[in-house]
Amino acid sequence: MEYFSVSHLLCDYLAVATFIATAFVVYSLWLLFYRPFDLFRDYTELGFEQISNARNFKNNVVKRHFINQYRKRRKIGDLPPSYPNGWFAILESEEVKRNSVREVDALGLNLVAWRGESGTCYVADAYCPHLGAHLGVGGKVAKECIECPFHGWKFDGVSENLVSVPNVDPVPPFVKLKTWPVHESFGFVYIWYHAENEKPLWWPDIVTEVESGQWKYRGRSEFRVACHIQEIPENGPDSAHLGVVHSSFFTNGAIPNESRVSWSFLKHGWAATWAPNSDPGREHEALMRVYHHIILFNKISCLHMPVDVHQIGPGIVHMHFDTIFGKGILIQNVTPLEPMMQRVVHRFYSSPTFLHPLGLLVLHSEGVQISRDIRIWNRKTFLRNPVFTKVKQIQVFRRWYSQFYSKNSAKLDHDSSFKRGIKKLDF
């Protein structure tokens, strides 16, 4: 009887151990081959390490307060206007479900987004023209209309017209709700912003393989960056920084969550070209070719991978990968939340042969590399007339980028007071 009890107990332990091991294997496979990558980093995590290290911040609110004090004392420089003209991603598509309403703050605007019964997404100014209620706070969707939570006024997303007022018939024909041109692709909701209220001058590019679902979604990353929007795409023509900022695999703990191990025998090798697109009708685009490879022992070059980069307007970047494993595209969207705060979101899609673990590796590597840039962007000043040696690609970039500013583009002045279009632009 005792032998039976012990053997029975051992069988139970073995069954439990087998179940745990199987669950662990299944979970690991799910993480590696199915779960999309997801990363978020706030601006307070990068570039302010000396503040965090100098004080033992047990309260994140206190830490944020100290960091914001540093931000207020920062010399921002003679900045270009805060909000360029172009298409900007204000939401990711899954954030706006059918028949739902979302409050959105971007580009210095208070907006409301809703998705009608048809599945179409609409974006409008947030405040009801009746008595100013915020339509994103308690508003409801009725077919393609949004209903004000204050007095029940309904506005049509297609026509902008007021279509219904409780106990009033007919409704005032002159009342409208300002809506914004919307484009939806790559899992993002874009709006067209223009300081002169001009209609869209161009449209974001579409990749058929992504829109048709042939390529798989591999994940996303999101960052908050405390800088002017132009600082971020200006990194493209600045190829000189690649060998300084992005050559090492690890940074000896200089950036949080990066390894403290230094592998001096293993480095990234970089080369890049950048130029505005000269094709008619594509003046809003710039083209970059990045050549990336691995260097072993400072001698052996291997794993060469070219990446075609398309800067589309002021805030959209498409990075095209073509490897022996298949093709993929990394979408980067930079959206100003306020003059000196940007939201940067990446989404990666790839062909089925570009296996999910490789997609995770791309997103992780991009997160590591851009974190190194953000650490600098969060603390630098903007120099209107930088000192150059031989390469003047940044000047070429600034002339190209200046097309996205116009007479009434809002500008943050030196004294940090927010003014609109009172200075002549000179780029």
Side-chain angles (χ1 to χ4, degrees):
M1 178 67 69
E2 183 179 349
Y3 172 77
F4 175 79
S5 299
V6 171
S7 63
H8 185 72
L9 187 61
L10 289 174
C11 288
D12 287 343
Y13 281 139
L14 183 61
V16 171
T18 302
F19 173 79
I20 293 174
T22 303
F24 176 77
V25 170
V26 171
Y27 180 68
S28 299
L29 291 173
W30 177 74
L31 290 178
L32 191 59
F33 290 98
Y34 181 77
R35 189 183 71 165
F37 185 89
D38 195 5
L39 170 69
F40 175 83
R41 272 187 169 173
D42 189 59
Y43 70 91
T44 58
E45 298 180 53
L46 299 164
F48 300 96
E49 292 83 11
Q50 66 176 8
I51 304 172
S52 303
N53 295 336
R55 297 176 176 86
N56 183 19
F57 286 112
K58 296 181 179 180
N59 188 323
N60 285 332
V61 175
V62 177
K63 174 184 174 181
R64 200 176 191 88
H65 169 74
F66 272 92
I67 289 174
N68 283 329
Q69 291 301 311
Y70 273 71
R71 288 182 61 210
K72 289 179 181 179
R73 294 192 293 269
R74 172 185 180 182
K75 180 182 178 181
I76 60 175
D78 186 10
L79 295 172
S82 303
Y83 307 122
N85 301 321
W87 289 97
F88 293 96
I90 61 166
L91 287 167
E92 290 172 83
S93 296
E94 60 262 28
E95 295 182 89
V96 195
K97 307 296 183 183
R98 195 183 296 262
N99 297 317
S100 70
V101 179
R102 278 297 302 265
E103 174 183 359
V104 183
D105 296 322
L107 297 154
L109 304 168
N110 300 131
L111 304 169
V112 60
W114 72 97
R115 196 177 296 280
E117 288 185 356
S118 68
T120 302
C121 186
Y122 307 96
V123 178
D125 285 356
Y127 302 109
C128 178
H130 176 213
L131 280 179
H134 197 302
L135 299 172
V137 183
K140 299 178 181 178
V141 176
K143 295 184 179 180
E144 305 305 301
C145 299
I146 186 166
E147 180 180 324
C148 177
F150 201 8
H151 297 92
W153 289 31
K154 294 180 183 177
F155 298 89
D156 180 37
V158 178
S159 67
E160 303 183 335
N161 292 334
L162 173 66
V163 296
S164 175
V165 176
N167 303 316
V168 175
D169 189 22
V171 299
F174 56 86
V175 180
K176 291 181 178 291
L177 179 68
K178 177 179 170 51
T179 61
W180 296 77
V182 174
H183 172 82
E184 197 165 1
S185 62
F186 299 110
F188 292 99
V189 176
Y190 296 90
I191 66 165
W192 172 260
Y193 173 89
H194 200 286
E196 319 301 324
N197 292 319
E198 290 190 14
K199 294 181 179 180
L201 305 175
W202 49 272
W203 293 82
D205 293 348
I206 291 176
V207 176
T208 305
E209 292 86 350
V210 175
E211 302 305 319
S212 64
Q214 297 177 44
W215 286 6
K216 307 300 182 182
Y217 170 66
R218 306 301 184 184
R220 66 184 293 279
S221 61
E222 180 176 349
F223 304 86
R224 293 290 188 273
V225 189
C227 73
H228 187 276
I229 181 175
Q230 187 174 310
E231 299 274 21
I232 297 175
E234 194 166 284
N235 233 36
D238 182 19
S239 58
H241 90 284
L242 293 173
V244 178
V245 179
H246 302 292
S247 63
S248 66
F249 266 75
F250 307 110
T251 58
N252 297 317
I255 295 177
N257 302 322
E258 286 201 334
S259 174
R260 296 181 180 273
V261 178
S262 179
W263 291 6
S264 58
F265 68 90
L266 188 64
K267 293 184 178 180
H268 290 282
W270 302 90
T273 61
W274 182 94
N277 193 335
S278 58
D279 293 342
R282 303 293 298 183
E283 294 83 3
H284 61 277
E285 182 179 58
L287 304 174
M288 185 176 179
R289 180 85 164 176
V290 179
Y291 301 88
H292 172 259
H293 60 281
I294 304 300
I295 304 173
L296 299 175
F297 305 105
N298 292 321
K299 294 180 179 180
I300 304 172
S301 177
C302 60
L303 299 178
H304 291 251
M305 185 176 67
V307 180
D308 287 314
V309 182
H310 295 222
Q311 171 81 43
I312 305 168
I316 304 173
V317 177
H318 291 180
M319 302 176 216
H320 297 267
F321 294 76
D322 190 356
T323 73
I324 59 174
F325 304 105
K327 296 183 178 181
I329 184 170
L330 183 68
I331 312 297
Q332 180 192 76
N333 286 295
V334 184
T335 304
L337 302 179
E338 55 187 64
M340 290 293 288
M341 185 62 65
Q342 315 302 316
R343 179 176 62 231
V344 181
V345 181
H346 300 94
R347 290 174 75 98
F348 186 62
Y349 298 86
S350 66
S351 59
T353 57
F354 198 104
L355 298 179
H356 194 68
L358 297 175
L360 302 182
L361 180 61
V362 168
L363 283 160
H364 172 75
S365 300
E366 176 64 20
V368 170
Q369 298 299 336
I370 195 173
S371 292
R372 299 175 184 178
D373 291 314
I374 293 172
R375 195 164 179 264
I376 295 170
W377 292 332
N378 278 347
R379 303 304 300 272
K380 75 185 295 293
T381 190
F382 183 87
L383 298 179
R384 174 71 61 158
N385 298 303
V387 177
F388 293 105
T389 53
K390 294 181 180 180
V391 180
K392 298 184 180 180
Q393 282 292 80
I394 292 178
Q395 290 178 321
V396 178
F397 167 83
R398 290 185 177 183
R399 285 194 294 269
W400 172 80
Y401 201 87
S402 68
Q403 68 179 296
F404 305 118
Y405 302 124
S406 56
K407 180 181 178 181
N408 289 309
S409 293
K411 186 171 183 179
L412 186 69
D413 209 354
H414 290 289
D415 61 359
S416 297
S417 60
F418 194 65
K419 301 180 180 180
R420 288 188 174 273
I422 60 173
K423 290 190 176 182
K424 181 180 179 181
L425 303 182
D426 182 18
F427 299 98

